Every structure is written in structure tokens, then in C-alpha cells.
DNA sequence: GAAAAAGATTACCGATCAGTACATTTACAA
DNA sequence: TTGTAAATGTACTGATCGGTAATCTTTTTC
């Protein structure tokens, strides 16, 4: 049981689900796009939902790792790193193939709150918010959870409007609002990169 | 050609699409849920996509009417009315059957930017932002479009986190951030209702 | 080099997909 | 009362849905 083949499936399935949606993508489409036979898929995952869950888990880990690492690269101070979230978002928005947040899509397509896929999507947001809360605490915010939650609101809003509106306007306004919030919450000036 | 029957179809189709998604809802499901025969449906709309477009148009009009009217009811000053957006959102979040924004879902399920359904969803956000811009101008904001866009970001973010996280936390933080933004942009104090 | 594990191939299952054909019923207007 | 159009029920199309079974080929492992 090589893990590489399974990872390859999950990674390619992510791209198809991300671009075309979960319900709109059939297993036969995945066979065609990935070149992996259906038998092999169902050896690794007994249902389509389990494959989707595996895709969400992989994306969750990679997405959070990438964002936190890049935020730390772009600024020195904790407060600056929080603001840099919106520069990382900016980079992401302008990548080729960007079409929104996989977890927002998952939450939208699997609305039932008891559905494991919905739960997994919600979990991603919860963990991310906890990471932001830790950063806000480091930055000396009066109410770290409060600041982190407000930045989360700005982040999700920016993503939605990047898809349905103007990327640059969305990120500019989200970042502007974030700067005001961070400065108000920490009492320190933060320079926009 | 009575318009009431067609409206009834669109209205009931909205509820099913809203709750279960577009791709996940088949035309046979709509027949079962609405009690309207498939033949009648295809008399009014020649494709499923056209029905979806009609649903979006109806929802767009009713949603914007309701929100602007309720915002005006809840506050007297223009600035207060803008902040009241988040009280109206709060009411909406706690309605039975709330499960997010139909236009965010439409934009997520129909990702192609040239798809008429995606265009229609984006148009809803654009018109709403124009309405907010007019209100921000009335409220004396230095840069009305800037304030309106920032409030849009907060609104969309609150909706996403109301679905995938905690409704009360989302609305509390969005409103708190909005108050700071409105006061900064207009230079006047705004009381939270 | 042989056993065994993994993958591919192909064909298939019943159910559902969007959409259509057609004959029947309802409702309203002349 | 009759003519007409809207609305209906039923049955159907070919395609696709998620998932399975059996057979064959490749790769790994001892």
C-alpha cells in the first residue's frame, strides 16, 4: 500500500471538485480526469463522500500551513503578521485557477449541519480562527478571540466578493478595515506592507 | 396565462433550491415538492437553468426590498440605518430555515464567470453595494463607495460564518467592526441598537 | 522466479438526471 | 354549449449517477 497513489488521487480530485463543484462532479469524471480506475478509487475510499472528506482534510492542512507560514514571512511583528493575512489573500486571489474557498463551497453544497462534510468544513474555519486567536494574543490584543473573529469575518467576506465581485476592491477594503481593527485592538500602529 | 401560477412555481422552487442546492435538486424533486407537473414547468421555463435564473431574480428583488425597508425602520439617522444592517442580518440568521445566502451558493455551484447564473448572482451583490453606497453618501461618509464596500465585506463574512460557525459570534463581531468603520468614515458617533 | 498484492479493464446494476411526446383533463370565454 | 388553451398525468428518451463484480495485467515482495 503505497501512500503516493492515494495522495495523487486525493490531490487530483481536489482540483476537479474545486473547479466544478462536488455534486456536479461524477466519479466517472474523476476517472477520466485522474486516469485512476474506479476500482482503485473504491479500494481507497468506500464512498464518494469519504473521498470528499479526504480532499477536505488535505486541503485544510495545506491551506493553513501555507497561510500561517506566508504571514510570518511577510512581516516581523505579530500585529504586522495579522495584517499580512490580507496580502497572502491577495496573492491567492490572483493565482491562476483561483475560484473561491473549498470549505465555503462544501458548506454551501452540504447544508445539513450533521453531515460529516459540513462538519469538516466548519472545523477548518474553527481551527483557523484558533490560530488567529493565538496570533492576536501574541500581538497584545485586548480581546484576542474578538480580534481574531473579526479578522475571520473580513477574510470570508473578501473571499466571497473576490468570487462574485472585484478581487482588488475586496482585498483593498478588507485590508483597510483590518488595519483599523488591529490598531484599535492592540493600541499600536501597524504599517501596511 | 395567469402570472400567479408561475410565481408559485418560482417561489416554491426557491425553497427547495435554497435548502438542498441547485445541482442536488432534480426536476422530479421539484415536481414532488411543488405539486406542479413537469409539463407545466417546461411550459414556463425551457430549461432548468432558466428556472434557476427566475428564482434568483425573484429572490434578489425581495431580499433587497426587505433589507433596505427594515434598515430604515430600525434607525432614524442614515449612519444608524447602515449599522442596523447587522440587526436585520441578526433577525435573518435566527429565522427558521435560514441556511446562508442563495447568491453565494449560486456563485459557488456555478463557478464559470460567463455562466448567466453566476453573472446574475454577481449582479445581486453589485446592486446591493450600490444601494449601500447611496446610504453611505447620505450618511456623510468621506468615501461612500469605500465604506459601502467595507460593510459588504463584513456582511458576506458574517453570512459565511453564520453557516459554518457561530451565528451570534459572527453577527456580534461584524457589527462591532461595522460600528468602528462607520464612525471613522463619517466622523459621527453611532449608537448600537 | 513464483506468490501475492495492486491496478486496470470492461461491463454491469438500479436509480436518477434533464428534457420530451402524447393523450387527457380542467377552466374559461364566446 | 361549444371552442380553445392551459394544465395535467403518464410514460418515455438517452445519458449519467454512485457503486459493484469478474477478469486480466502489472508491480511488488520474499
Amino acid at each position: 500500500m503505497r501512500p503516493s497513489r492515494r495522495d495523487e488521487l486525493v490531490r487530483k480530485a481536489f482540483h476537479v471538485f474545486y473547479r466544478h463543484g462536488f455534486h456536479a462532479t461524477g466519479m466517472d469524471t474523476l476517472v477520466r480526469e485522474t486516469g485512476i480506475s474506479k476500482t482503485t478509487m473504491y479500494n481507497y475510499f468506500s464512498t464518494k463522500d469519504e473521498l470528499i472528506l479526504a480532499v477536505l482534510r488535505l486541503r485544510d492542512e495545506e491551506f493553513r500551513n501555507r497561510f500561517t507560514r506566508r504571514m510570518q514571512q511577510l512581516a516581523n511583528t505579530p500585529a504586522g503578521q495579522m495584517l499580512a493575512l490580507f496580502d497572502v489573500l491577495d496573492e491567492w486571489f490572483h493565482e491562476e485557477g483561483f475560484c473561491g474557498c473549498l470549505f465555503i463551497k462544501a458548506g454551501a453544497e452540504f447544508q445539513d449541519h450533521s453531515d460529516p462534510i459540513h462538519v469538516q468544513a466548519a472545523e477548518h474555519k474553527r481551527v483557523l480562527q484558533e490560530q488567529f486567536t493565538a496570533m492576536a494574543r501574541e500581538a497584545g490584543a485586548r480581546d484576542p478571540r474578538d480580534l481574531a473573529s473579526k479578522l475571520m469575518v473580513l477574510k470570508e467576506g473578501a473571499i466571497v466578493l473576490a468570487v462574485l465581485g472585484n478581487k482588488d476592491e475586496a482585498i483593498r477594503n478588507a485590508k483597510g478595515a483590518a488595519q483599523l481593527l488591529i490598531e484599535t485592538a492592540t493600541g499600536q500602529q501597524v504599517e501596511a506592507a
Side-chain angles (χ1 to χ4, degrees), chain A residues 4 23-24 30 44 52 56 76 78 81 91 94-95 99 112 125 134 138-139 162 179 183 193:
Chain A
S4 66
H23 286 107
L30 287 179
Y44 288 129
I52 293 176
L56 292 183
N76 300 319
Q81 287 171 357
E91 293 175 357
H94 288 88
E95 272 174 22
C99 52
D112 185 356
K125 302 295 181 190
E138 262 194 274
Q179 186 169 2
E183 291 180 346

Side-chain angles (χ1 to χ4, degrees), chain A residues 134-163:
Chain A
M135 297 179 79
R137 192 175 294 114
E138 262 194 274
R142 273 178 280 277
D143 187 339
R145 186 185 165 91
D146 184 87
L147 176 59
S149 181
K150 282 174 178 166
L151 293 184
M152 281 290 289
V153 171
L154 289 173
K155 167 185 167 285
E156 306 307 335
I159 294 172
V160 167
L161 291 179
V163 172

Side-chain angles (χ1 to χ4, degrees), chain A residues 16-183:
Chain A
V16 185
F17 283 140
Y18 180 55
R19 197 166 308 234
H20 298 102
F22 298 100
H23 286 107
T25 302
M27 295 302 278
D28 297 274
T29 304
L30 287 179
V31 171
R32 207 183 316 122
E33 295 285 321
T34 66
I36 296 171
S37 75
K38 206 186 268 196
T39 320
T40 306
M41 288 182 180
Y42 279 94
N43 272 343
Y44 288 129
F45 307 100
S46 58
T47 63
K48 184 186 181 185
D49 280 12
E50 278 190 25
L51 171 59
I52 293 176
L53 282 173
V55 168
L56 292 183
R57 277 191 291 268
L58 176 74
R59 178 67 172 172
D60 167 58
E61 196 186 336
E62 292 194 348
F63 186 91
R64 286 189 295 103
N65 283 347
R66 170 192 164 171
F67 264 64
T68 52
R69 188 182 346 108
R70 193 85 184 102
M71 283 163 69
Q72 288 165 358
Q73 284 174 355
L74 288 179
N76 300 319
T77 66
Q81 287 171 357
M82 300 209 74
L83 185 59
L85 163 64
F86 297 89
D87 298 313
V88 186
L89 279 176
D90 193 23
E91 293 175 357
W92 181 37
F93 289 174
H94 288 88
E95 272 174 22
E96 193 179 322
F98 166 79
C99 52
C101 168
L102 187 74
F103 302 96
I104 294 178
K105 294 184 185 193
E109 284 202 52
F110 301 87
Q111 190 58 238
D112 185 356
H113 283 226
S114 66
D115 189 314
I117 295 177
H118 187 97
V119 172
Q120 185 84 16
E123 180 69 5
H124 166 78
K125 302 295 181 190
R126 196 188 62 76
V127 174
L128 199 59
Q129 179 164 333
E130 271 189 15
Q131 292 186 346
F132 289 169
T133 303
M135 297 179 79
R137 192 175 294 114
E138 262 194 274
R142 273 178 280 277
D143 187 339
R145 186 185 165 91
D146 184 87
L147 176 59
S149 181
K150 282 174 178 166
L151 293 184
M152 281 290 289
V153 171
L154 289 173
K155 167 185 167 285
E156 306 307 335
I159 294 172
V160 167
L161 291 179
V163 172
L164 284 179
N166 184 292
K167 292 176 185 180
D168 299 312
E169 185 181 1
I171 201 67
R172 183 178 64 247
N173 287 294
K175 189 179 180 183
Q179 186 169 2
L180 187 62
L181 288 174
I182 295 172
E183 291 180 346

